[in-house]
Amino acid sequence: MNLIIRQATPGDLAALLRFQQCVVEAERAFDPTIKDGSVQYYDVAALISSPDVHFLVAECGSDLVGCGYARIEAAKHYLRHRVHAYLGLMYVDPTHRGQSVNGKIIEVLKAWCRGRQLTELRLEVYSGNQAAIRAYQKAGFAEHLLEMRLGLNDAMAETDAKAHTHTKATTDAKAHTHAKAKR
């Protein structure tokens, strides 16, 4: 495979917007809160032209087969580092997965970050997306923080609440019966 990792250009915008929709579609399986239809996570054109972003594409022959960017952003005031790089829109076409495309993109992004004296990289991945988690672990990332949610209108939340109520009622009834038997 003749793979070239290069900086994205405005000429890559159509492919990058398509990649973004592929990411959205893949993430819908892990996130029931994503809106239906076309969703734009990122302003890709603005990211390509930003001096605080290094946006890369992976090119195989004349085809774009992957992408990812590093964006310099301010860290929370209580952290040791003042700024970090956030990695986003990490995508590899399914026909090129398992060929280290993502790892090569990350290596170039790491080098760009080191050249700017950044010492911290961050990214987000759904906890259920085990393939992505393994790929990021292979690139040196470690789990750090788990964001949790509770959708109060979700069917699962209602089921969980009913199960909790049933369990509590059963436990209370058993305790009451046990106490009554002791009398």
Side-chain angles (χ1 to χ4, degrees), residues 119-154:
T119 60
E120 184 82 12
L121 300 177
R122 301 278 174 118
L123 59 79
E124 296 170 342
V125 61
Y126 285 100
S127 61
N129 191 344
Q130 292 302 309
I133 290 170
R134 283 190 302 276
Y136 295 131
Q137 287 172 333
K138 188 175 178 181
F141 286 85
E143 292 181 28
H144 177 65
L145 177 70
L146 176 64
E147 178 178 291
M148 298 177 72
R149 69 171 288 275
L150 172 63
L152 296 178
N153 292 328
D154 290 355

Side-chain angles (χ1 to χ4, degrees), residues 1-154:
M1 173 174 69
N2 185 22
L3 187 72
I4 297 171
I5 307 296
R6 65 169 174 80
Q7 190 158 346
T9 67
D12 300 323
L13 189 57
L16 293 171
L17 292 173
R18 184 171 48 82
F19 288 171
Q20 179 172 225
Q21 287 311 299
C22 291
V23 170
V24 170
E25 286 306 313
E27 291 183 347
R28 280 195 166 104
F30 304 106
D31 190 342
T33 67
I34 297 173
K35 295 178 186 178
D36 292 334
S38 180
V39 172
Q40 302 300 316
Y41 286 161
Y42 312 103
D43 182 345
V44 176
L47 290 170
I48 291 172
S49 64
S50 173
D52 291 330
V53 175
H54 192 49
F55 208 131
L56 300 175
V57 293
E59 192 172 51
C60 186
S62 61
D63 297 326
L64 294 186
V65 299
C67 66
Y69 72 80
R71 178 181 62 219
I72 300 172
E73 47 183 54
K76 305 269 188 198
H77 71 279
Y78 52 80
L79 297 176
R80 291 182 180 164
H81 57 281
R82 192 178 55 77
V83 294
H84 62 252
Y86 173 83
L87 301 190
L89 197 52
M90 304 301 298
Y91 177 77
V92 176
D93 184 87
T95 61
H96 287 81
R97 292 185 185 156
Q99 300 174 25
S100 301
V101 175
N102 188 57
K104 291 173 183 171
I105 291 170
I106 290 174
E107 284 307 312
V108 176
L109 293 175
K110 284 180 186 178
W112 182 82
C113 292
R114 285 186 189 106
R116 279 145 190 79
Q117 288 72 49
L118 296 172
T119 60
E120 184 82 12
L121 300 177
R122 301 278 174 118
L123 59 79
E124 296 170 342
V125 61
Y126 285 100
S127 61
N129 191 344
Q130 292 302 309
I133 290 170
R134 283 190 302 276
Y136 295 131
Q137 287 172 333
K138 188 175 178 181
F141 286 85
E143 292 181 28
H144 177 65
L145 177 70
L146 176 64
E147 178 178 291
M148 298 177 72
R149 69 171 288 275
L150 172 63
L152 296 178
N153 292 328
D154 290 355

Side-chain angles (χ1 to χ4, degrees), residues 153-175:
N153 292 328
D154 290 355
M156 185 184 288
E158 292 175 22
T159 302
D160 290 347
K162 287 178 185 173
H164 176 73
T165 302
H166 174 72
T167 302
K168 183 169 176 13
T170 302
T171 303
D172 290 349
K174 285 180 182 176

